[in-house]
Amino acid sequence: PPSAAANLRPGAEQKVVFITARVHPGETPSSFVCQGIIDFLVSQHPIAKVLRDHLVFKIAPMLNPDGVYLGNYRCSLMGFDLNRHWANPSPWAHPTLHGVKQLIIEMYNNPKINLEFYIDIHAHSTMMNGFMYGNIFEDEERFQRQAVFPKLLCQNAEDFSFSSTSFNRDAVKAGTGRRFLGGLLNDTSYCYTLEVSFYSYILGGPTSAVPYTEEAYMKLGRNVARTFLDYYRLNSLVERPLAPTPKTR
C-alpha cells in the first residue's frame, strides 16, 4: 500500500479542501465546529487516517484574530466586516483575507493541485440547526452536483438541515468568501458557507429543540470531516476492527 504521505510527496497530485472560520468574531460556535474538524483529522481514528491519505486539508481557524481579541461582534480592529472584502482585500487593511486569497489563487494556478472544496464556517443568530449556503449556477448539472455534499452531511449529522440549506446570489453577499471564490474557481470546485445556530437544533417534532453545547458543535465538525469519506467513496478503505469470532457450543 502507498505510504501515508503519498499525496504530500513533491509533485504528487493533491485534492485540497480549504476551510476557514471565525471571520465574524462574535460567531463563537464556528470556532468549536472548526475545532471538531481539526481534532478529528489529526486523530488516530481509522476514517481520519484514510482522509489524510487521500486529501489535503488547509485550515485557517481564525480569519479575524484582532476582532476576536478586542471582543468585536462583526468587525476587525479597523472596523471592516472582512466577509465583504474578498473581491479586493488590501494587504494593509485586510491582511488575513489577503494572505488566504493569495494562497488559494496560488493553488488554483498550480496544475498539480485540485482545489475541490472551500467551506467558510459561521454561526447564525436566528435560524436553528446547521445548514449551508451555496451558489447559483446557470449550468443545471453543476447546480445538482453542488447539492451532493450537503445532502450527504444531512445523512451523517442529525442536527444538519438540508431543508434550511439554500443556494443564492444575493447582491449583499457578493463580497463573501463563498460568492467570490465560487466565481473564481472552476466548475469542479464547490464553495459553501456552513452556518450553525447560536442556540439549538430540532430533532423530530417542532417542539423538540435541543440546546447546542460546545461538544455538539465539535460533533458537527467531526461529521463534516467524515462526510468527505462518503463524498469520495473511500468507505471501503477504512480498516475495521475484526469481528469477534463466535464461540462454538
Side-chain angles (χ1 to χ4, degrees):
S3 75
N7 62 344
L8 297 178
R9 287 196 191 122
E13 289 236 348
Q14 295 182 350
K15 287 185 167 77
V16 173
V17 175
F18 208 108
I19 296 170
T20 56
R22 207 71 187 273
V23 73
H24 291 141
E27 296 175 13
T28 47
S30 86
S31 282
F32 291 112
V33 174
C34 193
Q35 187 73 50
I37 294 173
I38 295 170
D39 288 350
F40 183 76
L41 289 175
V42 301
S43 74
Q44 291 306 303
H45 194 289
I47 290 176
K49 287 182 176 175
V50 170
L51 292 174
R52 292 195 300 266
D53 287 352
H54 288 84
L55 302 167
V56 175
F57 290 87
K58 300 272 187 192
I59 302 176
M62 192 175 283
L63 284 180
N64 194 343
D66 46 337
V68 169
Y69 176 77
L70 290 166
N72 290 355
Y73 180 72
R74 201 168 173 87
C75 294
S76 65
L77 167 65
M78 295 172 65
F80 290 106
D81 178 345
L82 294 180
N83 205 37
R84 296 295 181 270
H85 288 276
W86 277 92
N88 194 18
S90 143
W92 178 74
H94 326 106
T96 53
L97 289 201
H98 184 266
V100 167
K101 183 179 168 182
Q102 291 305 111
L103 178 58
I104 286 174
I105 289 172
E106 251 173 62
M107 291 194 296
Y108 176 62
N109 291 330
N110 183 336
K112 287 283 190 188
I113 294 178
N114 293 320
L115 183 54
E116 307 223 328
F117 281 90
Y118 171 75
I119 299 176
D120 188 29
I121 311 173
H122 287 251
H124 206 285
S125 57
T126 58
M127 304 262 289
M128 296 226 232
N129 294 62
F131 58 95
M132 281 178 146
Y133 292 126
N135 294 312
I136 286 181
F137 303 107
E138 303 303 332
D139 176 0
E140 180 63 24
E141 192 215 342
R142 184 180 182 190
F143 187 68
Q144 298 294 344
R145 287 202 314 268
Q146 186 189 216
V148 172
F149 188 85
K151 280 179 178 167
L152 291 171
L153 178 53
C154 192
Q155 291 169 15
N156 286 335
E158 59 182 6
D159 57 322
F160 184 84
S161 164
F162 187 74
S163 59
S164 295
T165 291
S166 64
F167 302 93
N168 65 52
R169 52 157 69 116
D170 178 351
V172 177
K173 303 287 179 75
T176 64
R178 160 185 67 91
R179 281 288 303 282
F180 175 74
L181 294 169
L184 168 78
L185 304 174
N186 60 25
D187 63 2
T188 55
S189 302
Y190 302 103
C191 299
Y192 305 95
T193 301
L194 172 62
E195 295 273 2
V196 62
S197 172
F198 266 107
Y199 50 101
S200 58
Y201 55 97
I202 293 179
L203 295 178
T207 52
S208 52
V210 182
Y212 263 114
T213 59
E214 292 172 13
E215 175 50 39
Y217 288 130
M218 289 194 272
K219 184 179 178 184
L220 178 59
R222 293 195 292 272
N223 284 327
V224 168
R226 297 172 82 110
T227 300
F228 288 105
L229 191 82
D230 300 329
Y231 183 85
Y232 288 104
R233 299 196 171 101
L234 298 170
N235 308 60
S236 60
L237 300 175
V238 177
E239 289 176 23
R240 288 179 177 78
L242 294 169
T245 30
K247 292 193 173 74
T248 45
R249 282 190 183 153

